[in-house]
Amino acid sequence: MTTEATTTDLHTFTETWLEWYRAQEARLAAPHGFLAITSLHWLDERPQRFPDAPGAWHTGPEGVVVRLDDEEELVVDGVPVRGEHRFGVLPERGGVDAVWGDAVIEVARRGGNDIVRPRHPDAPLRTAFTGTPAYAPDPRWVVTGRYVPFDTPRPTTVGAAVEGLEHVYEAPGRVEFEWEGRPLSLTAFPGHGEGRLSVLFTDATSGVTTYAANRSLSLDPPAADGTVVLDFNRAANLPCAYTDLATCPLPPAENRLPVAIEAGQKIPRERGGA
């Protein structure tokens, strides 16, 4: 390979990474993205009112209910609602976004609990956001591994950014790979999209240059022979890296890598990163 070809390939690699990075930042800092969250409210059977959302909220066996005052209105699935509105029983990790003026009221279920999480575009965390520090993209952090499916998906319980909360995922298999001759593996969870995988991990940089609790890596569907590519340049922060109002899962114990993955996103400035 000529020097010119190598330079061209590196330029393309960097541009492709920048597209991914900018998309990550855009989702995070969108008008109703995670940086727009102003509070996290845990619902129970007692009606509760919140300063950043309309109505009185409670939950029970039949799901989440809000009772709006006469002058209050939400828009749910494009339909204006007044008075009492029943959201019903929400699926785990599911939710509904109800529009209130220029805000969105997220109604969701996390770790077996129903929550209300308002998102306001003028939230200080969002308006002050200046971007996430990251390692410069480097092709050496693109690793080819092998996906090994389990005989049956394994229910895997992990902790959460919120103390006392747990998440349960059906892990379909693990990803095996080598780094500098050292065999490593990561338990994989289902990803977003048919056949895609997601891995949560920490490594020797966690709490030093990268966020201490977790990072996430999304993987394309494995090839027919199990080959899968891990591009650690795309190791991404979860919302809990920026805000205490997130309920992000922690990695399973076996996904604590004993090597330094000096790639991907670093500690956010919001948490003291530089």
Side-chain angles (χ1 to χ4, degrees):
M1 182 179 290
T2 65
T3 301
E4 182 179 351
T6 302
T7 301
T8 301
D9 290 346
L10 182 58
H11 176 76
T12 301
F13 177 83
T14 301
E15 286 300 310
T16 302
W17 179 85
L18 281 170
E19 289 178 8
W20 167 85
Y21 173 83
R22 289 167 182 151
Q24 289 285 122
E25 298 284 272
R27 282 192 295 273
L28 180 70
H32 300 120
F34 269 93
L35 296 182
I37 293 174
T38 51
S39 60
L40 170 59
H41 306 294
W42 302 87
L43 302 182
D44 56 28
E45 71 283 354
R46 301 166 301 155
Q48 301 178 68
R49 289 186 173 273
F50 312 119
D52 50 357
W57 299 79
H58 72 275
T59 190
E62 296 182 358
V64 177
V65 179
V66 63
R67 178 67 191 180
L68 299 166
D69 287 346
D70 291 342
E71 72 280 7
E72 294 176 329
E73 178 181 275
L74 287 171
V75 178
V76 182
D77 294 329
V79 179
V81 298
R82 289 177 174 272
E84 183 178 272
H85 180 74
R86 295 179 176 271
F87 289 88
V89 177
L90 301 172
E92 182 63 35
R93 289 189 289 279
V96 175
D97 287 342
V99 178
W100 181 46
D102 66 351
V104 162
I105 310 302
E106 178 192 8
V107 187
R109 189 166 181 83
R110 299 290 184 270
N113 301 274
D114 290 323
I115 64 172
V116 167
R117 196 158 46 178
R119 302 179 185 225
H120 291 259
D122 60 354
L125 190 65
R126 177 178 180 269
T127 57
F129 183 61
T130 59
T132 305
Y135 285 99
D138 188 334
R140 80 186 188 99
W141 290 106
V142 182
V143 180
T144 299
R146 184 170 70 97
Y147 174 62
V148 181
F150 299 140
D151 292 337
T152 57
R154 297 179 182 175
T156 304
T157 301
V158 297
V162 175
E163 187 174 355
L165 195 68
E166 291 184 336
H167 296 278
V168 181
Y169 293 89
E170 295 288 329
R174 68 177 179 273
V175 175
E176 299 176 343
F177 64 101
E178 287 190 3
W179 178 248
E180 296 183 339
R182 184 171 188 168
L184 301 168
S185 70
L186 292 163
T187 294
F189 294 151
H192 297 290
E194 185 65 30
R196 294 182 64 84
L197 301 170
S198 176
V199 294
L200 301 171
F201 72 96
T202 57
D203 64 276
T205 70
S206 300
V208 182
T209 56
T210 64
Y211 185 58
N214 50 25
R215 284 194 291 167
S216 175
L217 186 62
S218 180
L219 308 179
D220 288 334
D225 63 356
T227 299
V228 66
V229 175
L230 301 93
D231 185 352
F232 285 106
N233 294 287
R234 303 189 181 199
N237 289 327
L238 295 178
C240 57
Y242 303 86
T243 174
D244 292 335
L245 304 176
T247 61
C248 305
L250 302 180
E254 65 270 21
N255 284 16
R256 297 168 185 166
L257 297 176
V259 296
I261 304 295
E262 296 174 322
Q265 293 188 321
K266 296 182 177 182
I267 299 172
R269 296 182 180 91
E270 290 75 10
R271 301 290 193 184

